[in-house]
Amino acid sequence: MQLQPIKQSFKVQYDYQLYFTSGLFSLENPLFEKLIADYKDFEPVKLLFVIDDGVKNHHPALINQISAYCEKHQQTIKYTSALVLPGGEQVKNSDEAVESVLKGVNDNKICRHSFVVVIGGGAVIDMVGYAAAIAHRGVKLIRIPTTVLSQNDSAVGVKNSVNAFKKKNFLGTFAPPYAIINDSNFLKTLEQRDWISGISEAIKVALIKDKSFFEYISDNATKLKHREMEPMQYVIYKCAEMHMQHIAQGGDPFESGSSRPLDFGHWAAHKMEFMTNYELRHGEAVAKGIALDVTYAQLTGLISEADLQHILDVMISIGFDLTLPVESSNEIQSLLDGIEEFREHLGGQLTITLISDLGVKHDVHTIDMELMAQAILKLNHQFALN
Ligand SMILES: NC(=O)c1ccc[n+]([C@@H]2O[C@H](COP(=O)([O-])OP(=O)(O)OC[C@H]3O[C@@H](n4cnc5c(N)ncnc54)[C@H](O)[C@@H]3O)[C@@H](O)[C@H]2O)c1
Ligand SMILES: [Zn+2]
């Protein structure tokens, strides 16, 4: 008997929301309770909180506020416990961190009708998202990002990950969160470098998609540097909105194709993060990566010298250091190797996003290595003279 293949196909719909507030766990703020109440079916919903220790140290009353908030709304919310884990990239290098979230899920009997709520920077959010996605094949996640980078980019997307085999984001999942809540209060306690670093992701998305957004950032560069909240909130809002739109409407939410425009500036950024043993923040590395790729774009004739200088000036006035952490020819070679490593990580054909004008992306499939080496030297020479 000839057995025919059995074929089926199905679609899964994802809906998720990003909310904006300040003082999320103050007793008068209805947002969080309403979010859980809208989900709740028949009994209080269990929540396990996981908190970045950098956030806890700067907001020492936070855990008490959360438990008081849950107590007030006990008909809707059942608080179980709050794990505090180290913030920063190292948490993505540690098996114990994933293990402790899984243990928290198990000990507190968090099921697929409960939520893990993560509060922290992009690194803790990536790691907890990964743990939540593999526990019970996926426990619901609410992300409360507390850095600029996580509020405007990393936490509003669909990726979760940890590092392994010395490779960044080697283990991970595509799993959209249930919701994200950006609380601007958290931003007030950021170190200056974390206040600035996420702005590079806004510059990235502006340069590939929206010239007027880039000009807004340019006009507000000094205010952004001096920690004015209003332009920062606009930059976060617009950047997050553009990222979410790209994910939902760009036709490739789980990145099966070879083109990833949101990775503009990222091949070099990933390599520089690794080469500096993650001393560089992701956003700092992205600023350098963009600076390098626009310098290369100018050398290939894609953009003018005036546009190149305009882009570099904006980043400098915000406070970015655009020197690349490479001096010797070995280090330059090692950075260039990042191009092939980037291709390997994505699989498929090499696709590097550049720009052909402010706000206009331009994909290329080959890189002239000699010209890219020249771009490295040109950039480092320019800033060595400053
Ligand atoms: N999933 C994605 O799509 C995606 C995209 C971009 C970046 N990322 C990842 O995001 C990570 C970087 O995130 P990041 O830039 O937020 O840095 P981070 O998470 O490393 O945090 C930086 C530091 O800030 C501290 N901190 C966090 N919130 C604070 C607050 N409100 N006040 C004071 N200190 C605070 C942390 O404890 C940490 O020490 C990287 O691992 C990167 O790979 C993921
Ligand atoms: Zn990035």
Side-chain angles (χ1 to χ4, degrees), residues 149 153 201 204 262 266 282 286:
L149 182 118
D153 178 325
E201 299 282 6
K204 168 197 81 180
L262 294 182
H266 276 57
H282 178 71
V286 169

Side-chain angles (χ1 to χ4, degrees), residues 122-373:
V124 167
I125 289 191
D126 269 6
M127 183 279 294
V128 174
Y130 173 65
I134 60 173
H136 299 301
R137 300 195 180 101
V139 170
K140 290 184 181 52
L141 178 72
I142 295 176
R143 300 183 184 143
I144 303 176
T146 58
T147 59
V148 171
L149 182 118
S150 54
Q151 291 200 355
N152 73 2
D153 178 325
S154 81
V156 308
V158 293
K159 295 186 273 185
N160 309 284
S161 59
V162 293
N163 307 331
F165 306 114
K166 300 204 172 142
K167 295 208 168 98
K168 204 168 150 69
N169 303 329
F170 186 83
L171 293 177
T173 59
F174 286 97
Y178 182 79
I180 309 122
I181 309 170
N182 280 354
D183 180 340
S184 60
N185 253 4
F186 286 119
L187 304 179
K188 294 178 185 160
T189 57
L190 288 172
E191 270 183 49
Q192 183 66 5
R193 68 183 297 197
D194 290 306
W195 171 270
I196 289 173
S197 75
I199 302 172
S200 62
E201 299 282 6
I203 292 172
K204 168 197 81 180
V205 84
L207 282 176
I208 57 171
K209 283 178 185 273
D210 186 342
K211 181 175 179 175
S212 65
F213 184 34
F214 183 74
E215 293 310 343
Y216 176 88
I217 298 172
S218 168
D219 294 345
N220 288 276
T222 316
K223 290 183 181 169
L224 287 167
K225 179 179 187 171
H226 293 112
R227 300 184 76 119
E228 284 194 26
M229 197 51 106
E230 210 179 294
M232 181 56 101
Q233 286 208 279
Y234 179 75
V235 165
I236 290 174
Y237 189 93
K238 183 84 187 152
C239 179
E241 186 183 38
M242 288 172 77
H243 273 86
M244 288 175 73
Q245 251 166 18
H246 182 89
I247 291 164
Q249 289 152 36
D252 192 15
F254 291 174
E255 298 178 357
S256 322
S258 305
S259 169
R260 290 207 330 205
L262 294 182
D263 275 350
F264 173 46
H266 276 57
W267 71 265
H270 288 156
K271 186 68 192 193
M272 288 185 281
E273 286 178 87
F274 176 73
M275 287 172 73
T276 58
N277 198 22
Y278 301 103
E279 290 294 315
L280 280 179
R281 293 279 198 264
H282 178 71
E284 293 168 340
V286 169
K288 292 175 195 282
I290 292 172
L292 176 57
D293 280 352
V294 291
T295 303
Y296 176 82
Q298 188 273 324
L299 289 178
T300 60
L302 273 170
I303 61 167
S304 67
E305 179 69 29
D307 279 347
L308 168 64
Q309 290 310 322
H310 180 32
I311 297 168
L312 299 181
D313 286 349
V314 170
M315 291 201 275
I316 293 290
S317 1
I318 291 169
F320 284 109
D321 170 1
L322 300 181
T323 45
L324 308 178
V326 290
E327 278 172 15
S328 65
S329 50
N330 278 351
E331 286 169 341
I332 293 176
Q333 186 53 50
S334 179
L335 176 54
L336 292 172
D337 291 345
I339 294 175
E340 174 56 17
E341 288 162 19
F342 181 75
R343 192 198 62 77
E344 275 169 29
H345 181 67
L346 293 187
Q349 189 187 18
L350 175 71
T351 305
I352 300 281
T353 295
L354 299 173
I355 55 167
S356 57
D357 199 352
L358 301 179
V360 183
K361 85 173 177 81
H362 179 90
D363 282 352
V364 295
H365 301 291
T366 47
I367 292 287
D368 178 333
M369 288 298 180
E370 261 178 37
L371 218 51
M372 186 59 87

